[in-house]
Amino acid sequence: MAGKSRFLLTEGTLQEAQAVAEQAKLDLTDLNSSVQSLYLSQDMGDHEVRLVELDSSMVKHLEAGNSLMVRGDKADMAVVCTDDSTFELKSTQTTNSLLLLPDCRAPEQLVGGDGCLLHKEVYCISHLYLELKQCRPKLKKLQTLLQENVFTGPEYESDEKHTGKKYTTTDLLSLIQASEKELLQELRKLHAVHYDGYWRLVDFDYMGNVLQYIMDTVDCQSWSYDQIPTDKLLSMEDNVYPRVVLQHCLDCYGDRKTMELDGGSEEVHVLSEDKVCRYFAEYLLKGVGKFNLAEFLQTWKESVPVGMTTDLQQLEGVALIDKKSHPQVISHFPVTGLPEDAPDRFNRLFRTREKWTLEDITPYIRDLCERKQTVGSLLTKFARASTLPDGTKVYNSRVPIK
């Protein structure tokens, strides 16, 4: 107890404080000589205060001059966001009385001196505090908002079908329960373009036309898909698409790379075989229901650019194959169309297919994993494992399907 402060819940004298300590059988030599006498404010009921428990990293975040933002509509559970993380905000009750004092001194601030009695006013007493727990951002609403005005080309911006609301980064941060970093990551995942100051989803067919134009230009210029000179392509005088849209398409279906040349360095884009093949697969599958697998594989192979190789692994999280059907069929089943809430997600998955292998279900639940959580632990919570007669391990729902 050495060096600890002494508190007296009264407006007594220093001698009275020492007498109380002696009655409690405390050795006065182990305590600070100064005493803080606490008394209750007369207007305690007039103050509305919420106490928040912060870990050391969050304290350092605030001490560095950064902010914490509380986000959510009236119907939402509130979350707190830093620049790069999202935290659930939950009310926790304690049997202890939490006293709030505007000017309470820490033990190290009372060391030395001859001893004195310091009167400290208790501002409020609480048995509740708010606790922060890091969680996944709530992003499902983002896609719904952006679908209000999908980008189909600059020539259609004044069309009556494109009068829906458009959203800036600031608008989205005020509506989406996510940090700015998480929001921007999801916008990239959705292939949203930042056009004329607003974030827009790009029409699937329009994006395909832009991609095809880029590939046709590469072929016409005798360039390589592995080394598309970014600036040369964007600066061509006869381009039929806006520069920002061409740049966006290159970033969605390719990877930036810096090439070292004799005259210096040059930025190039390398078209991703997996991303391009996935686009053509979705183009074939969207809106057609079930597709004969053998016919699909042949059509898909013929539709991709020469030199690119299709592989079913490219369709993880995009399509499902029904191996029990005769003949086998494939259907469009994108993970982006599934519920964000874990129980609802599993209910939808098991409604679609009664039993799943680990390989098949993983792409559809990987994004549900919290920090340090594995797909295996997630399945343990929401699914029951069993083994088929042929030795295949499968998972089915733990609860009745709604």
Side-chain angles (χ1 to χ4, degrees):
M1 295 180 62
K4 290 193 174 181
S5 297
R6 285 187 289 169
F7 296 95
L8 181 68
L9 287 171
T10 180
E11 291 190 72
T13 65
L14 181 60
Q15 290 72 26
E16 289 173 334
Q18 292 171 343
V20 170
E22 289 175 349
Q23 290 175 4
K25 299 187 183 301
L26 298 176
D27 188 345
L28 298 183
T29 60
D30 290 337
L31 304 175
N32 282 321
S33 57
S34 296
V35 176
Q36 297 185 83
S37 174
L38 309 185
Y39 65 95
L40 303 181
S41 172
Q42 293 183 353
D43 57 350
M44 285 182 58
D46 297 335
H47 306 301
E48 286 194 18
V49 177
R50 296 291 182 270
L51 303 178
V52 182
E53 183 181 62
L54 303 176
D55 61 20
S56 57
S57 62
M58 197 73 78
V59 172
K60 291 179 181 178
H61 176 82
L62 291 174
E63 289 177 342
N66 299 311
S67 301
L68 297 178
M69 302 296 296
V70 179
R71 294 190 172 127
D73 290 334
K74 292 182 179 180
D76 297 328
M77 293 292 291
V79 300
V80 171
C81 296
T82 62
D83 294 335
D84 58 7
S85 302
T86 301
F87 300 83
E88 290 179 332
L89 188 62
K90 292 186 175 181
S91 180
T92 302
Q93 190 167 10
T94 175
T95 56
N96 296 325
S97 295
L98 304 175
L99 309 182
L100 181 62
L101 291 81
D103 188 32
C104 183
R105 298 189 185 182
E108 58 271 16
Q109 296 174 302
L110 296 173
V111 175
D114 296 330
C116 60
L117 184 66
L118 304 174
H119 296 285
K120 301 295 181 181
E121 182 180 18
V122 178
Y123 192 73
C124 75
I125 301 177
S126 178
H127 295 279
L128 295 174
Y129 66 93
L130 300 176
E131 186 178 36
L132 300 182
K133 180 183 177 182
Q134 190 164 356
C135 65
R136 292 184 299 109
K138 318 296 184 183
L139 295 162
K140 197 63 181 179
K141 185 178 179 181
L142 176 61
Q143 191 170 358
T144 302
L145 293 175
L146 295 181
Q147 284 174 339
E148 295 178 15
N149 197 332
V150 176
F151 183 78
T152 56
E155 62 272 26
Y156 297 107
E157 285 297 271
S158 58
D159 188 275
E160 61 181 11
K161 294 182 179 180
H162 295 80
T163 56
K165 185 172 176 57
K166 296 181 288 188
Y167 298 90
T168 64
T169 302
T170 301
D171 294 334
L172 293 176
L173 284 172
S174 68
L175 296 168
I176 304 301
Q177 293 183 289
S179 68
E180 184 169 1
K181 180 180 179 180
E182 292 166 329
L183 174 66
L184 294 176
Q185 287 176 339
E186 185 67 11
L187 286 167
R188 286 192 291 270
K189 181 180 176 182
L190 293 173
H191 287 182
V193 62
H194 196 239
Y195 185 84
D196 199 24
Y198 298 95
W199 286 103
R200 313 282 295 281
L201 286 182
V202 182
D203 178 76
F204 184 82
D205 292 333
Y206 179 79
M207 180 69 97
N209 293 336
V210 178
L211 177 60
Q212 188 63 58
Y213 171 80
I214 289 174
M215 294 188 296
D216 290 344
T217 301
V218 170
D219 293 338
C220 182
Q221 297 294 324
S222 299
W223 295 333
S224 167
Y225 292 144
D226 294 331
Q227 193 174 324
I228 303 174
T230 306
D231 191 60
K232 289 182 181 179
L233 187 146
L234 298 178
S235 302
M236 295 180 67
E237 294 183 359
D238 57 348
N239 279 334
V240 297
Y241 294 101
R243 181 186 180 97
V244 65
V245 174
L246 290 170
Q247 177 75 69
H248 175 67
C249 188
L250 285 171
D251 289 336
C252 287
Y253 295 100
D255 301 298
R256 297 190 187 195
K257 185 177 179 181
T258 300
M259 299 288 294
E260 296 298 332
L261 305 174
D262 293 338
S265 60
E266 180 182 9
E267 182 184 272
V268 299
H269 270 79
V270 180
L271 278 189
S272 168
E273 181 176 75
D274 288 346
K275 293 177 182 178
V276 172
C277 289
R278 186 182 300 118
Y279 172 82
F280 282 96
E282 288 200 82
Y283 179 80
L284 294 172
L285 292 171
K286 283 173 71 74
V288 299
K290 296 181 179 180
F291 203 133
N292 179 290
L293 179 60
E295 294 178 1
F296 166 77
L297 290 175
Q298 183 60 37
T299 305
W300 184 27
K301 179 180 178 180
E302 294 172 353
S303 67
V304 301
V306 176
M308 291 192 177
T309 304
T310 59
D311 189 312
L312 285 175
Q313 289 187 345
Q314 295 164 343
L315 302 185
E316 283 191 352
V318 170
L320 281 181
I321 297 174
D322 186 352
K323 298 179 182 179
K324 293 182 179 180
S325 174
H326 298 285
Q328 294 184 1
V329 294
I330 186 171
S331 56
H332 191 225
F333 192 69
V335 65
T336 53
L338 297 178
E340 185 177 48
D341 182 64
D344 293 339
R345 173 82 63 91
F346 275 94
N347 185 75
R348 173 71 181 279
L349 290 173
F350 289 121
R351 195 170 70 232
T352 301
R353 176 180 290 182
E354 182 182 0
K355 297 180 185 293
W356 291 76
T357 63
L358 178 62
E359 180 183 9
D360 287 344
I361 201 171
T362 295
Y364 292 100
I365 63 174
R366 188 186 293 119
D367 63 309
L368 294 177
C369 293
E370 303 284 358
R371 291 182 65 197
K372 299 181 180 179
Q373 187 178 31
T374 64
V375 167
S377 63
L378 196 62
L379 285 170
T380 300
K381 182 177 180 180
F382 291 99
R384 182 181 290 108
S386 60
T387 303
L388 299 179
D390 63 0
T392 303
K393 186 176 182 179
V394 294
Y395 296 88
N396 63 290
S397 179
R398 279 188 174 275
V399 298
I401 303 301
K402 298 178 183 178

